[in-house]
Amino acid sequence: MIHITLRRKTFVLAIAIAIFVVIAAAMAIAYGSKISETQQPDGVIEVSEVQMSSRHKGRVLEICVEVGDYVNVGDTLAVIEVAEDDRGSGKNAKNAAMDDKIHNFYLILQRAKAGLDIAEESYHNMQKLYEEGTITEEVLNEALTNYKLMEGQVMAVQNTLRLMQYDNGESVVVAQVEGEIADIYLPVGGAVQNGTPIVNVYIMDDLWGAFYVDEAEMKNLKLGSEINAYVPAFNKEVKMQVYDIEDTGEDAFVGEIDKSEWIYAHDAVRIKARPVDYIEGLRPGMVLRVRN
């Protein structure tokens, strides 16, 4: 009886050890696979950005945009009440008559913008008809000329309005580039100094991927090279072309095994690559992973 019991215990122990070995092996394979995957250089989508600042000191009267809004060149971003000691010769001109003129010019500006929208839509429609062979190039050019004319009218009204507002103790911050409002730095009532940034604009037409790669992995990478990058946000690969390579001379983070262990590349090289084709929904901050 004792002999049988010992044999059973030995058998159970052997099974337990075998199970433990199998589990340990499976974990080692999974862990090794994870390391292999995460050691591939990670990257992130970056974007050109421009801060729009006030040319005068004073206080914010109005913020005319919200984060996420898309703005065009000349759009009003904020209205600033200019400090008394920073106003021009017209600092005492604020009166009811001037207010009425400013209001009227606001109405003119809105009508001009509406006309610009119509001219732009008409031009895009003409482009499609031209590509289909329905209209001549001359008709297309006429639509383009009208579009540019309306664009010039909007700019002229905006410039006049800015001068009137300044004479009336106000100044406006306008968009100098086309893009998306990324940040608003000051609230209504916030104090403004000359050159104080008011809003930050992402130029969404200028996106690229930035990667840090170990020099040892640079054999097949050069200017003009095409690489495949996996975008986890879309769960798909995209083709990108390298346009800039910079030796940082520093170690750089290139991957992550888990939340407690990090991988660094020695003599890291910073690579910039732009998408070969337009990718709808691509946003700054999205993670990329090189698959080459």
Side-chain angles (χ1 to χ4, degrees), residues 213-222 225 271:
V213 181
D214 194 307
E215 279 188 347
E217 301 174 5
M218 286 293 298
K219 297 177 183 178
N220 300 321
L221 285 176
K222 59 183 179 180
S225 296
I271 292 177

Coordinates of all heavy atoms in Angstrom, one line a residue, residues 213-222 225 271:
V213 N 15.8 55.3 -35.4 CA 16.3 54.0 -35.8 C 17.8 53.9 -35.4 O 18.6 54.8 -35.5 CB 16.2 53.9 -37.3 CG1 16.7 52.5 -37.8 CG2 14.7 54.1 -37.8
D214 N 18.2 52.7 -35.0 CA 19.6 52.4 -34.7 C 20.4 52.4 -36.0 O 19.9 52.0 -37.0 CB 19.7 51.0 -34.0 CG 21.0 50.8 -33.3 OD1 22.0 51.0 -34.0 OD2 21.1 50.4 -32.2
E215 N 21.6 53.0 -35.9 CA 22.4 53.1 -37.1 C 22.7 51.7 -37.7 O 22.8 51.6 -39.0 CB 23.8 53.7 -36.7 CG 23.8 55.2 -36.6 CD 25.2 55.8 -36.5 OE1 26.1 55.0 -36.2 OE2 25.3 57.0 -36.6
A216 N 22.6 50.6 -36.9 CA 22.9 49.3 -37.4 C 21.7 48.9 -38.4 O 21.9 48.0 -39.2 CB 23.0 48.3 -36.3
E217 N 20.6 49.5 -38.3 CA 19.4 49.2 -39.1 C 19.3 50.1 -40.3 O 18.2 50.1 -41.0 CB 18.2 49.2 -38.3 CG 18.2 48.2 -37.1 CD 17.0 48.4 -36.2 OE1 16.1 49.2 -36.6 OE2 16.9 47.7 -35.2
M218 N 20.3 50.9 -40.6 CA 20.3 51.9 -41.7 C 20.7 51.4 -43.0 O 20.8 52.2 -44.0 CB 21.1 53.1 -41.3 CG 20.5 54.0 -40.2 SD 19.0 54.8 -40.8 CE 19.6 55.8 -42.1
K219 N 21.1 50.1 -43.2 CA 21.7 49.6 -44.4 C 20.8 49.9 -45.6 O 21.2 50.2 -46.7 CB 21.9 48.1 -44.3 CG 22.9 47.7 -43.2 CD 23.1 46.2 -43.1 CE 24.0 45.9 -41.9 NZ 24.1 44.4 -41.8
N220 N 19.5 49.7 -45.5 CA 18.6 49.8 -46.6 C 17.8 51.1 -46.6 O 16.8 51.2 -47.4 CB 17.6 48.6 -46.6 CG 18.3 47.3 -46.7 OD1 19.3 47.1 -47.4 ND2 17.9 46.3 -46.0
L221 N 18.1 52.0 -45.7 CA 17.4 53.3 -45.7 C 18.3 54.4 -46.2 O 19.4 54.6 -45.7 CB 16.9 53.5 -44.2 CG 15.8 52.7 -43.7 CD1 15.5 53.0 -42.3 CD2 14.5 52.9 -44.5
K222 N 17.7 55.2 -47.1 CA 18.4 56.4 -47.6 C 17.3 57.3 -48.1 O 16.1 57.0 -48.1 CB 19.3 56.0 -48.7 CG 18.7 55.3 -49.9 CD 19.7 55.0 -51.0 CE 19.0 54.3 -52.1 NZ 20.0 53.9 -53.2
S225 N 14.0 56.4 -50.1 CA 13.6 55.1 -49.8 C 12.1 55.0 -49.4 O 11.6 55.9 -48.7 CB 14.4 54.4 -48.7 OG 15.8 54.3 -49.1
I271 N 14.6 59.7 -38.6 CA 14.2 59.6 -40.0 C 12.8 60.3 -40.1 O 12.0 60.1 -39.2 CB 14.1 58.2 -40.4 CG1 15.5 57.6 -40.5 CG2 13.5 58.1 -41.8 CD1 15.5 56.1 -40.9

